[in-house]
């Protein structure tokens, strides 16, 4: 069980994007049930709700982005946004921390796990 460490904003964005596709897929399934108005409208509503919630998630990312801290990644020298005390670089997935206290602790452990995962594959 290796946990891939990725940037939080990117992760939420991927989730919102997949919600749109899931919503469209559900609505598309509804077309196959044209004969039953009830089943078709059920799929349409569920699909629409999925797309709608993705819009809400996108709005949420916008709010989080204003709170995110802009830092220059020491590994790839690109400006990335991080949420919370520990987050990964958006571009090279390098784990970053704002809290010097965390630098030797939890932060390192995750990094080691990632390294072990990379060696195996
Ligand atoms: Zn980077």
């Amino acid at each position: 069980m290796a946990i891939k460490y990725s940037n939080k904003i990117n992760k939420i964005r991927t989730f919102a994007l997949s919600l749109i596709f899931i919503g469209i897929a559900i609505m598309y399934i509804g077309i196959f049930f044209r004969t039953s108005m009830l089943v078709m409208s059920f799929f349409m509503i569920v699909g629409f709700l999925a797309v709608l919630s993705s819009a809400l998630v996108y709005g949420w990312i916008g709010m989080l982005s204003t709170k995110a801290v802009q830092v220059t990644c020491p590994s790839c020298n690109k400006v990335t946004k991080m949420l919370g005390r520990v987050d990964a670089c958006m571009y090279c997935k390098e784990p970053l921390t704002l809290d010097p206290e965390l630098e030797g602790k939890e932060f390192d452990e995750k990094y080691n796990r990632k390294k072990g995962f990379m060696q195996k594959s």
Side-chain angles (χ1 to χ4, degrees):
M1 278 273 287
I3 298 158
K4 209 176 168 193
Y5 206 61
S6 56
N7 184 271
K8 282 165 196 161
I9 291 176
N10 276 356
K11 223 185 265 177
I12 302 165
R13 204 170 274 157
T14 310
F15 171 68
L17 195 72
S18 52
L19 262 182
I20 292 180
F21 285 113
I22 291 165
I24 290 167
I26 293 169
M27 284 196 272
Y28 188 72
I29 291 166
I31 297 169
F32 292 103
F33 294 96
R34 261 174 302 198
T35 44
S36 169
M37 194 61 205
L38 194 79
V39 179
M40 193 180 98
S41 28
F42 172 77
F43 276 104
M44 288 293 169
I45 289 163
V46 172
F48 180 71
L49 284 176
V51 175
L52 198 76
S53 53
S54 121
L56 289 174
V57 173
Y58 268 114
W60 183 50
I61 299 167
M63 260 170 52
L64 285 177
S65 292
T66 59
K67 275 189 247 167
V69 184
Q70 278 202 345
V71 288
T72 308
C73 174
S75 185
C76 64
N77 287 316
K78 281 177 183 160
V79 177
T80 179
K81 279 180 182 174
M82 57 184 289
L83 281 177
R85 291 196 299 182
V86 183
D87 207 348
C89 171
M90 276 178 169
Y91 306 98
C92 66
K93 305 253 158 70
E94 170 84 18
L96 306 165
T97 182
L98 283 177
D99 196 337
E101 269 179 50
L102 279 174
E103 228 163 302
K105 293 173 188 173
E106 181 199 17
F107 173 71
D108 249 12
E109 210 178 281
K110 274 177 184 154
Y111 191 38
N112 285 338
R113 222 182 287 161
K114 188 189 155 197
K115 260 189 170 170
F117 171 69
M118 282 171 82
Q119 276 163 0
K120 263 184 219 167
S121 54

